[in-house]
Amino acid sequence: MSKITLMRHWYTMPVSARLVAIFAIVLLMAGACTRREAFPEESEDPEELAEGESADSAAYNGQLLAQVVFDSVDYIVPPQDLMQPFIKEFGDGTVVDKVMIRKVQETKQDKAGYYLVGMGIRNGAYRAMALELDVASDNSLYLSSNSNKYICGAGTGCSFCYFTFSGNQITGCECESRAPGNLCEQKESSTNQLLKDARLRNMREGETKRPAPVPQPD
């Protein structure tokens, strides 16, 4: 059918029929645009898309360290393996000679909190670092780079400091002697790099070296 014939046919159509035809053409064009937007443009790099998806799926980077069994801590990563990472995390010459996981619970009504603690000496003064652990539903204890970090060190007139807490949260540190002028140095950070590039021994039999991440507890 020629263009002239089509034009004649168009003008002989009733006005209502023309409106219906125009409306149908608009719907077809809108549907075509919608289908096209549902697919990536040919210029988009598939590797970049994959990297974006991976970043969204890897939201938690926790490392399994231990599990609480009948109120006792079952270490999966030996504490002595974490001494060197603690020395590196201090980064100020502190020599760490003791690592442990400590439970923090002010009253029985409070939910228990757990902290990975490294203790040592710098220039003859006591130093300690505590990293908050994530507790999974099966009472497994994980440390992530987003775990809070607390540092407590003996200052002027003080030979030993300890962390203070409320509920299950560390709130600061104070000297064992509360005499005026006896001070403790304290620092706090919302991140840490303790396990970055750390080489840890194999975990207990049956565990993989890098367990699958778990959702961060509420």
Side-chain angles (χ1 to χ4, degrees):
M1 185 179 293
S2 68
K3 292 183 179 179
I4 295 176
T5 304
L6 285 172
M7 291 296 293
R8 288 177 177 173
H9 181 68
W10 173 261
Y11 286 114
T12 58
M13 291 175 61
V15 175
S16 59
R18 292 184 197 176
L19 292 175
V20 171
I22 292 172
F23 184 71
I25 292 171
V26 171
L27 286 178
L28 287 173
M29 292 178 66
C33 291
T34 302
R35 288 193 297 273
R36 185 172 182 274
E37 291 171 358
F39 295 91
E41 297 290 339
E42 293 180 357
S43 60
E44 293 184 17
D45 188 348
E47 292 184 359
E48 292 180 62
L49 292 173
E51 288 176 1
E53 292 174 357
S54 298
D56 292 337
S57 61
Y60 183 73
N61 64 345
Q63 169 71 51
L64 177 64
L65 297 182
Q67 188 172 30
V68 179
V69 181
F70 298 114
D71 209 31
S72 296
V73 176
D74 178 18
Y75 288 92
I76 296 172
V77 175
Q80 57 267 31
D81 285 12
L82 297 170
M83 290 183 184
Q84 192 60 40
F86 263 109
I87 291 173
K88 184 178 179 181
E89 184 71 9
F90 270 110
D92 59 4
T94 298
V95 178
V96 176
D97 58 5
K98 190 170 186 180
V99 175
M100 67 182 71
I101 291 177
R102 296 297 301 269
K103 176 182 177 181
V104 172
Q105 187 179 29
E106 188 174 15
T107 69
K108 291 183 179 181
Q109 287 70 39
D110 296 316
K111 182 180 179 180
Y114 292 87
Y115 292 81
L116 179 67
V117 182
M119 296 177 288
I121 300 292
R122 185 190 70 177
N123 298 329
Y126 170 83
R127 303 271 288 170
M129 181 187 296
L131 304 174
E132 188 173 6
L133 298 177
D134 295 326
V135 185
S137 58
D138 63 350
N139 288 328
S140 294
L141 304 179
Y142 290 79
L143 175 66
S144 88
S145 59
N146 293 322
S147 297
N148 291 332
K149 176 175 70 176
Y150 306 87
I151 295 178
C152 184
T156 304
C158 187
S159 60
F160 181 80
C161 295
Y162 57 89
F163 291 105
T164 58
F165 58 91
S166 175
N168 61 6
Q169 296 292 314
I170 289 177
T171 56
C173 66
E174 63 182 29
C175 183
E176 63 176 346
S177 172
R178 299 185 180 182
N182 292 356
L183 303 175
C184 292
E185 300 174 357
Q186 50 186 307
K187 296 180 181 179
E188 182 178 347
S189 174
S190 59
T191 61
N192 71 89
Q193 297 295 317
L194 186 84
L195 297 181
K196 183 179 180 181
D197 301 325
R199 294 184 177 181
L200 305 177
R201 281 186 284 171
N202 287 334
M203 300 180 182
R204 66 188 176 193
E205 187 176 355
E207 295 283 352
T208 58
K209 183 149 188 174
R210 292 287 179 182
V214 297
Q216 191 162 345
D218 296 332

